[in-house]
Amino acid sequence: MNNKKKLQAILVFMLAIMIVVTGCGADKAKQGGASKEVQNLPAKLKEKGDIKVKVIRKIGGDDHTAQFLAGAKQEGEALGFKVDTFSANGDTAKFLDAIEQAAGSDADAVILSHGDDPATVAAVQKLRDKGIEVVAFDSLPEVGQVGGVTLTSQKDEALAQYALDQLVKEKGEQAKIVYLWVDGFPPMVRRNKVYEETLAKYKGITEVGRFGVASDNTSVETQNAVAALLTKHPKGEIDAIFATWDAFAIGATRALVEAGRTEIKIYGIDVSNADLQLMQEENSPWVATAAVDAKMIGAINVRLAAKKLAGEETPATFDLDAALITQEDLKKSDKAVNISTLADIIPGWGTSDALEEDWMKALKEANAK
């Protein structure tokens, strides 16, 4: 082989080596190599490598669920985690089966929502026995008593207080009201406590009717129930409706509009794009709702799971701050308000740096590249 051919062979060989090295480097980055270069990344996370998180929610079929799951997935993926979400749509058997499957999987952390039965406590204990980190939203207090679990919730007392204070402010201390509430769920129990305290404080307030059912058809069933109540109580006999869940408020709004009874005003809890649309319709009876951004709830639950995986200290409980959204607030905007633009009229809405460590911010930046 002459010198020219030898040189060509050497160049081809060197080029092949460069391609292989470059390819390996790219694979390393895809496998999370970049995250290992993040400054101050906790050693435990470096050791774990790829992290898998499962988000399992018992209730479903509503906007709040969709936003909660979306917020968890968005936050987890921004941190470089693989996030799987599941809603059991109110089916207890499916909910518990999903937890069982998670216990037998390679999940590093599980985020539960609305674990409201004793079987959930045993299922969570099994997750912890497997070394899987757990964060539980709006679940039984007993779930939070399992070692290493953080129980999160909206500030349900504040949510109820905001809505009821607004009702009393606008309808007075002699108001005649309908109560939409369902027992059996921890957040509902907390909201009911505030309701009972309010009735005790304002002796002149009269409850003229109540209804509540939790199903995959709650809004329709509520609409029918409120429509039936309206036939029993002509104008002047009902001043307001306190709806402890937006699914109740949606059904009640439809019933009032259809019956032409929009003199009755609705004070609710929770918010979604569909809720905001209803509140902004002409002559809408839904005048106020107290809420926490559902996407932010999902995100903060993921941050708690991330801190646990990093070996950092986490609280046993964590409450998320609530805000009151009124129809008057929404009217201040010259265009329709949705969840994305709600922050323009409600300061701080949709943003929170709660539990967001510096290493999380750095990890998000690295994974965004």
Side-chain angles (χ1 to χ4, degrees):
M1 182 182 291
N2 59 35
N3 290 337
K4 185 176 180 180
K5 288 184 178 180
K6 284 182 180 179
L7 181 59
Q8 287 177 334
I10 291 170
L11 287 172
V12 169
F13 180 69
M14 290 179 67
L15 181 60
I17 290 175
M18 288 176 65
I19 290 172
V20 171
V21 170
T22 303
C24 290
D27 286 343
K28 184 179 179 182
K30 287 178 183 177
Q31 293 168 4
S35 69
K36 294 179 182 178
E37 303 304 319
V38 170
Q39 191 174 7
N40 298 326
L41 185 68
K44 277 198 170 185
L45 286 183
K46 286 185 181 181
E47 294 167 6
K48 287 182 179 295
D50 292 339
I51 291 172
K52 298 179 178 65
V53 177
K54 292 189 181 295
V55 185
I56 305 169
R57 184 161 165 119
K58 185 172 184 178
I59 65 172
D62 60 320
D63 276 359
H64 194 278
T65 293
Q67 292 173 57
F68 172 84
L69 296 178
K73 191 171 184 67
Q74 182 178 318
E75 186 75 4
E77 290 180 347
L79 291 168
F81 301 168
K82 181 181 177 183
V83 183
D84 290 325
T85 64
F86 173 77
S87 169
N89 289 320
D91 189 315
T92 300
K94 288 182 179 178
F95 177 68
L96 294 172
D97 183 61
I99 300 175
E100 180 70 24
Q101 288 183 39
S105 73
D106 59 351
D108 297 291
V110 171
I111 294 169
L112 300 178
S113 178
H114 294 80
D116 55 12
D117 59 280
T120 301
V121 181
V124 168
Q125 184 64 64
K126 187 170 184 178
L127 290 173
R128 293 297 297 128
D129 291 343
K130 297 269 188 175
I132 297 171
E133 301 294 350
V134 178
V135 179
F137 171 64
D138 268 1
S139 298
L140 286 175
E142 290 80 4
V143 171
Q145 290 169 10
V146 176
V149 174
T150 293
L151 200 63
T152 66
S153 67
Q154 303 177 89
K155 286 187 177 177
D156 291 291
E157 292 85 358
L159 288 168
Q161 199 68 66
Y162 279 143
L164 286 166
D165 284 351
Q166 191 70 9
L167 186 158
V168 174
K169 176 183 175 182
E170 296 184 357
K171 292 298 178 179
E173 298 178 17
Q174 305 294 321
K176 297 179 285 292
I177 66 175
V178 170
Y179 185 37
L180 301 179
W181 171 78
V182 61
D183 201 357
F185 299 90
M188 289 295 178
V189 172
R190 292 190 288 268
R191 294 169 193 181
N192 184 64
K193 182 174 182 291
V194 176
Y195 175 71
E196 290 178 343
E197 289 170 352
T198 300
L199 292 189
K201 180 178 180 181
Y202 302 106
K203 303 291 187 181
I205 293 179
T206 305
E207 181 187 300
V208 298
R210 67 165 61 192
F211 173 79
V213 63
S215 71
D216 57 0
N217 216 19
T218 295
S219 294
V220 174
E221 293 186 54
T222 302
Q223 181 177 349
N224 294 337
V226 172
L229 274 170
L230 295 177
T231 63
K232 297 177 183 177
H233 298 280
K235 286 189 177 182
E237 291 191 6
I238 302 174
D239 298 309
I241 294 175
F242 175 41
T244 55
W245 180 18
D246 62 344
F248 292 147
I250 290 169
T253 298
R254 291 171 181 161
L256 294 180
V257 170
E258 285 190 8
R261 296 288 299 276
T262 56
E263 82 281 359
I264 300 170
K265 303 305 179 186
I266 297 171
Y267 300 82
I269 290 177
D270 293 333
V271 72
S272 69
N273 282 323
D275 300 341
L276 290 172
Q277 184 178 340
L278 276 178
M279 289 180 70
Q280 291 172 92
E281 288 180 357
E282 189 175 356
N283 296 322
S284 172
W286 191 350
V287 294
T289 195
V292 178
D293 180 23
K295 283 190 73 174
M296 191 51 58
I297 297 171
I300 288 177
N301 275 263
V302 168
R303 291 176 194 170
L304 277 163
K307 284 175 67 66
K308 289 179 182 295
L309 291 168
E312 295 184 349
E313 186 175 347
T314 54
T317 61
F318 187 85
D319 293 330
L320 294 102
D321 291 326
L324 181 69
I325 304 159
T326 68
Q327 202 173 77
E328 289 305 310
D329 289 331
L330 299 174
K331 287 178 179 177
K332 293 174 184 176
S333 175
D334 57 3
K335 56 186 177 181
V337 178
N338 57 35
I339 292 295
S340 299
T341 59
L342 196 53
D344 295 339
I345 59 172
I346 305 294
W349 181 266
T351 59
S352 174
D353 59 2
L355 304 169
E356 187 175 34
E357 308 298 338
D358 287 341
W359 60 263
M360 292 185 193
K361 296 175 184 176
L363 197 52
K364 288 178 183 180
E365 289 178 8
N367 282 291
K369 293 177 181 176

